[in-house]
Amino acid sequence: MHNHAHEPIAVPDNLNVVLLAGGVGGAKMADGLAQLLAPERLTVLVNTGDDFRHCGLMVCPDLDTVMYTLAGRANPETGWGRTGESWRTMEEVGRLGGPEWFKLGDLDLATHLTRTHLLAEGMSLTQATGQLLERLGIAARILPMSDQPAPTMIRCDEGLLPFQTWFVARGWQPAVREICLPEDVRASGQVLSALEGADLILIAPSNPFVSIEPILNVYPVREMITDLPKVVVAVSPIVAGQALKGPAAKMMGELGMAVSASAVAGYYGELIDGFVYDRRDDEVTTLLAPNTFRTDTVMQDRAGRRRLAAEILAYVVELINQ
């Protein structure tokens, strides 16, 4: 294990990085990388398996979390939605007997209204996202994993539930028996060219089953990641035997896995060349991952995100130069 903490870290200016991301962990990692890399060197491929229509609007929770975080407008208390949010519209929806189980703030609604409008005008989700990024002043490339709908379904004792029904309406309580991903979902040309040009694929500390697996399930993402980049590195979402946020640890237990960083490394298996995990966790043996790096993976603030991203990039440069 190497400790880069005290050395000034030189980020190579020709490293093309593609980050696979979903949820808060993915958004924080994207922000750390965006602080260090030139915008044309970073592409964030975002899970859209959580996307759904609510009150007729197209809601893309992971895209929104990544966008709001990079724009410096994310709500740090909730981990989703916007800062300075108000809730008058949804309160009124509830009074009028509409569906209020999924809360959309007034500022957040503007995003969904605009996206739904752009899609109705014939834009692809990638194009609509591009316009939102431009207006939010975000230079990094953020791409939905596909322009086709690719809904994640959760099989539990209640039957097969749409992801948001399980996650929000049921508070991710029903035990997960299986995660069901759609067939025949294809990547956009933009995603293919980003993967083709990647030197490093970084798997964010996102939920492996419902944030990362849906991206890998998009054809031919998994195949390209296996074949193309110099190095593929995953960051563990498990810290000290727990998930920092969300249902990853609970799901691992329900799916019959140990709740540990080692289990995450084992889950990614042959796909990865390197694995980053937290110093509070038991040592991950190199049988599971060819190469590991142990550090403080908790990103408390923007400086913490930048620090972790810098440490990971330094570790990756070592891997590439081996």
Side-chain angles (χ1 to χ4, degrees):
M1 176 195 141
H2 311 285
N3 185 356
H4 301 284
H6 305 296
E7 304 161 30
I9 291 164
V11 177
D13 52 11
N14 57 350
L15 194 69
N16 288 322
V17 179
V18 174
L19 176 72
L20 309 191
V24 177
K28 287 181 170 182
M29 184 96 267
D31 184 42
L33 292 166
Q35 292 180 57
L36 293 166
L37 297 167
E40 64 275 11
R41 296 289 177 203
L42 174 62
T43 305
V44 187
L45 294 195
V46 181
N47 167 44
T48 58
D50 302 10
D51 296 8
F52 76 125
R53 283 199 178 268
H54 188 55
C55 296
L57 300 179
M58 194 66 214
V59 180
C60 304
D62 281 353
L63 278 170
D64 294 337
T65 299
V66 173
M67 285 195 307
Y68 294 159
T69 301
L70 288 188
R73 300 179 191 198
N75 183 335
E77 277 76 60
T78 55
W80 51 269
R82 302 257 316 240
T83 46
E85 192 56 282
S86 52
W87 304 93
R88 292 185 62 185
T89 303
M90 282 321 270
E91 282 163 11
E92 193 61 20
V93 167
R95 264 194 288 277
L96 296 171
E100 55 170 340
W101 61 273
F102 192 94
K103 299 276 183 260
L104 299 172
D106 299 336
L107 292 172
D108 193 25
L109 267 167
T111 302
H112 310 310
L113 286 163
T114 305
R115 177 191 290 120
T116 307
H117 166 72
L118 295 173
L119 293 171
E121 296 233 298
M123 272 194 191
S124 67
L125 183 56
T126 300
Q127 290 169 326
T129 303
Q131 175 166 325
L132 293 170
L133 292 170
E134 199 178 316
R135 293 303 175 99
L136 287 166
I138 298 166
R141 268 182 307 194
I142 300 174
L143 299 174
M145 67 188 194
S146 175
D147 283 326
Q148 297 166 255
T152 297
M153 305 286 282
I154 304 290
R155 190 179 299 287
C156 55
D157 294 341
E158 296 180 25
L160 197 59
L161 298 181
F163 179 81
Q164 295 299 349
T165 304
W166 173 80
F167 188 66
V168 177
R170 303 275 194 283
W172 44 278
Q173 285 318 295
V176 175
R177 302 286 165 239
E178 187 190 1
I179 291 123
C180 303
L181 300 175
E183 290 175 19
D184 305 325
V185 179
R186 292 183 167 267
S188 65
Q190 288 93 326
V191 167
L192 298 181
S193 62
L195 291 171
E196 274 164 13
D199 301 304
L200 161 66
I201 303 278
L202 195 55
I203 299 176
S206 303
N207 185 309
F209 318 105
V210 294
S211 288
I212 303 300
E213 199 58 47
I215 306 175
L216 296 173
N217 180 60
V218 174
Y219 183 80
V221 172
R222 190 190 305 271
E223 292 77 359
M224 289 180 78
I225 290 175
T226 305
D227 292 344
L228 281 169
K230 293 175 187 161
V231 172
V232 181
V233 171
V235 185
S236 174
I238 299 296
V239 174
Q242 294 177 309
L244 287 182
K245 214 169 178 74
K250 178 175 175 283
M251 286 180 133
M252 288 173 85
E254 289 163 1
L255 295 168
M257 292 167 70
V259 183
S260 67
S262 289
V264 176
Y267 177 77
Y268 288 128
E270 308 252 297
L271 190 66
I272 60 175
D273 306 298
F275 187 67
V276 178
Y277 65 107
D278 195 83
R279 53 169 195 219
R280 280 155 283 224
D281 285 294
D282 297 335
E283 208 157 310
V284 173
T285 55
T286 47
L287 291 172
L288 293 168
N291 196 306
T292 61
F293 175 54
R294 195 174 186 183
T295 186
D296 178 5
T297 61
V298 180
M299 298 173 274
Q300 302 285 11
D301 51 19
R302 286 206 79 212
R305 297 170 193 171
R306 185 189 173 104
R307 170 199 55 80
L308 181 59
E311 288 182 10
I312 290 171
L313 290 173
Y315 162 62
V316 165
V317 170
E318 266 184 34
L319 279 184
I320 288 175
N321 292 335
Q322 269 178 16

